[in-house]
Amino acid sequence: MSRLPEWVGGLGAGLTRLSRRLEDQRRRAESAAAADDPEELRHAVRPDVPDGAAESGAPGAAETGPPSAGGGAASGGEAPPVPLTAPQKGADSPQEARPSDASPGGEGAVSVRPPESVPAPPAYAPAVSARPDPVAAVPWGVRVAAEAGWRLLVLAGTLWVLARVITTIELVVLAFVAALLITALLQPTVAWLRRRGLPRGFATALTFIGGFVIMGLVGWFVVWQVQDNIDSVSSRILEGITELKGWLLKSPFHVTEAQINNIAKNLQDAVGANTEAITSAGLEGVTVVLEVLTGILLAMFTTLFLLYDGRRIWSWVLKLVPGAAREGVAGAGPRAWRTLTAYVRGTVLVALIDAIFIGIGLYFLNVPLAVPLAVFIFLFAFIPLIGAVVSGALACVVALVTQGVFTALMVLAVVLAVQQIEGHILQPFILGRAVRVHPLAVILSVAAGGLIAGIGGAVVAVPLVAVTNTVVGYLRAYSQEQAVRMAPQPRGATAIGVAPTAPPKAVED
């Protein structure tokens, strides 16, 4: 009984060594199966078999020694090693090791399997690629369109909100824009008076009073001319309608007098049925007059402060711009102001020339209201393309109903000739490249401005587009220049040749 604990301890130690050995064999079998190496697999299953026995081709070469006389048991009480054949590559079970058919062990030979592992797929199996990343699966064009699409949606929403705000405070916005245009027209006069030695306040007051007095006198003259000639024009219009009626009766259109009288009666009935609408329109007209007077007063005060303190106001606006963009905005502001000044002065000069020449033509053709029509032509010239058509059509209609068809055709010829001279000679020479805008952009901007804010929007649309074009062009050039400045400077022997700026000249001793 005293030897029992020693026997138990020896049994435990033997079991521990056996488990470690089996664990090592399992690991080597897994690595050999992964490498698909029969020789490595054999060593993993039976590490005690020598290499020479494995390399011999005889079936019984795997035996390590002759069997003992004691019924085939090996000396030392151990069983003879089990012979193995190398697994065939491509067999159904490449991990299975079988004993040789010629083994002397006969029925005592037991097949040994390495640990289970996942078999490799057959050669004819189709390759299954992994699922791609969802972002990479979307085509590049679709991704670019999506990125640009949501940015355009944000921009469109911002513009829509801005348009709603402008529509709500339309009177204030139009008054401020009109003040900017008037300031662009009068500011060179203030600068000229200050260069002559006048103080800033006196030069501003003199220019402001003189400019608005001239504009007021022009408006009063137009109203006076209309009131003075309204009776004669009315009688001539009635005569023109009578002549038009006689011409229609004698025309090849076969119009009868009953049809003409029926049209006149329908017009009278329409006027009588819409008396309430006309009355409400008259009341709305009173409201419009009050709004116009308010806008004029607001534009006058804004013009006065812009003329007197425009530079300080611009400095305050620059403080509201973020610091990273302040330098670019500070450079774009003066260029935008020069563009606006050039546009206003050039448009005033072109409109004045149009009004003078068309007015002279109307005067020599004995068209009534020649001076008021010339003033209307001057005012409508501030609406590019569309204003010239409207004012010319108005002059032709007045000539038609007062002087006849021949005089109307002559007025049409005069208007077309002056407008052709304006479009091909005056505007390119006076405005030049400072405010050059494509005709398509002019038409679209005038239409959009008219839809948003009526006549006032049509007037300010083109200068706004011209100023925007100048600002965008300057900021694009400025960003490119900043990118060149921030780029790493070249080094080496070729640095001077590719440097963005010219190298400094060497100082001669």
Side-chain angles (χ1 to χ4, degrees):
M1 296 297 293
S2 60
R3 293 185 177 181
L4 181 61
E6 296 180 358
W7 180 81
V8 173
L11 179 61
L15 293 175
T16 302
R17 288 193 296 272
L18 179 61
S19 64
R20 290 179 179 176
R21 184 177 179 181
L22 292 176
E23 182 68 20
D24 293 340
Q25 290 181 3
R26 184 184 67 80
R27 292 178 180 175
R28 285 193 293 268
E30 289 179 354
S31 61
D36 198 11
D37 189 358
E39 187 67 21
E40 186 69 22
L41 181 60
R42 187 190 65 80
H43 279 286
V45 177
R46 293 296 304 271
D48 54 347
V49 178
D51 295 337
E55 292 176 357
S56 63
E63 297 178 354
T64 58
S68 62
S75 63
E78 295 183 358
V82 180
L84 298 176
T85 58
Q88 298 295 325
K89 191 172 184 179
D92 293 338
S93 298
Q95 288 85 2
E96 183 178 357
R98 295 179 306 212
S100 175
D101 296 337
S103 174
E107 296 179 357
V110 180
S111 62
V112 179
R113 291 174 179 266
E116 294 291 336
S117 61
V118 179
Y124 58 84
V128 180
S129 59
R131 292 184 178 181
D133 187 12
V135 177
V138 179
W140 174 255
V142 176
R143 278 189 282 172
V144 172
E147 293 284 341
W150 72 261
R151 286 177 172 84
L152 290 177
L153 287 178
V154 172
L155 182 60
T158 304
L159 293 178
W160 183 81
V161 173
L162 183 61
R164 296 289 295 178
V165 172
I166 292 175
T167 305
T168 305
I169 56 173
E170 179 180 354
L171 179 63
V172 178
V173 173
L174 289 180
F176 180 74
V177 174
L180 280 178
L181 296 177
I182 297 173
T183 304
L185 179 62
L186 300 180
Q187 194 270 337
T189 305
V190 176
W192 182 79
L193 291 176
R194 292 195 63 187
R195 286 196 298 269
R196 295 299 182 271
L198 272 70
R200 182 176 62 177
F202 184 71
T204 301
L206 184 61
T207 304
F208 174 78
I209 295 173
F212 278 95
V213 164
I214 292 174
M215 287 187 284
L217 289 176
V218 170
W220 171 81
F221 182 74
V222 171
V223 174
W224 172 62
Q225 285 290 317
V226 171
Q227 290 180 351
D228 188 50
N229 295 286
I230 190 65
D231 295 332
S232 60
V233 171
S234 300
S235 61
R236 290 190 179 184
I237 289 175
L238 293 176
E239 293 176 0
I241 293 175
T242 304
E243 292 179 0
L244 180 60
K245 180 180 177 180
W247 181 81
L248 289 175
L249 291 174
K250 298 178 182 179
S251 66
F253 299 107
H254 304 289
V255 179
T256 62
E257 186 173 359
Q259 292 175 343
I260 296 175
N261 293 333
N262 190 18
I263 294 174
K265 184 177 181 300
N266 290 334
L267 291 175
Q268 292 177 357
D269 294 340
V271 171
N274 296 321
T275 304
E276 295 182 359
I278 294 173
T279 304
S280 62
L283 295 176
E284 292 179 358
V286 174
T287 305
V288 170
V289 170
L290 293 177
E291 291 181 354
V292 168
L293 292 177
T294 304
I296 290 174
L297 292 176
L298 184 60
M300 290 176 63
F301 281 105
T302 306
T303 302
L304 177 61
F305 285 107
L306 289 176
L307 286 174
Y308 180 76
D309 216 6
R311 190 177 298 275
R312 187 179 301 176
I313 294 173
W314 173 244
S315 300
W316 178 81
V317 171
L318 284 179
K319 294 180 181 179
L320 303 178
V321 180
R326 188 172 300 166
E327 185 177 354
V329 175
R335 289 166 176 80
W337 182 251
R338 284 197 294 269
T339 299
L340 183 62
T341 303
Y343 173 82
V344 174
R345 295 175 66 181
T347 303
V348 168
L349 184 57
V350 171
L352 185 62
I353 294 174
D354 289 351
I356 290 175
F357 280 98
I358 295 178
I360 291 174
L362 295 175
Y363 177 78
F364 281 107
L365 291 172
N366 293 326
V367 177
L369 299 177
V371 176
L373 287 174
V375 174
F376 278 114
I377 291 170
F378 173 79
L379 296 177
F380 276 95
F382 285 91
I383 305 177
L385 300 178
I386 299 176
V389 175
V390 173
S391 60
L394 180 61
C396 292
V397 169
V398 173
L400 176 64
V401 298
T402 57
Q403 299 295 328
V405 178
F406 178 76
T407 305
L409 292 176
M410 295 300 296
V411 171
L412 178 62
V414 171
V415 170
L416 291 177
V418 173
Q419 289 180 358
Q420 290 298 317
I421 294 174
E422 169 199 342
H424 293 86
I425 299 177
L426 296 180
Q427 285 189 352
F429 179 74
I430 296 175
L431 296 179
R433 294 182 176 271
V435 291
R436 178 168 293 181
V437 181
H438 197 275
L440 179 60
V442 172
I443 295 174
L444 295 179
S445 60
V446 170
L451 291 175
I452 295 173
I455 297 177
V459 171
V460 303
V462 176
L464 179 62
V465 171
V467 169
T468 304
N469 185 31
T470 301
V471 171
V472 171
Y474 172 78
L475 292 179
R476 182 172 60 249
Y478 175 78
S479 63
Q480 294 176 355
E481 182 181 353
Q482 288 296 106
V484 172
R485 290 181 181 178
M486 299 302 294
Q489 298 297 325
R491 298 179 180 180
T494 61
I496 296 179
V498 298
T501 56
K505 296 181 179 180
V507 179
E508 297 180 0
D509 296 332

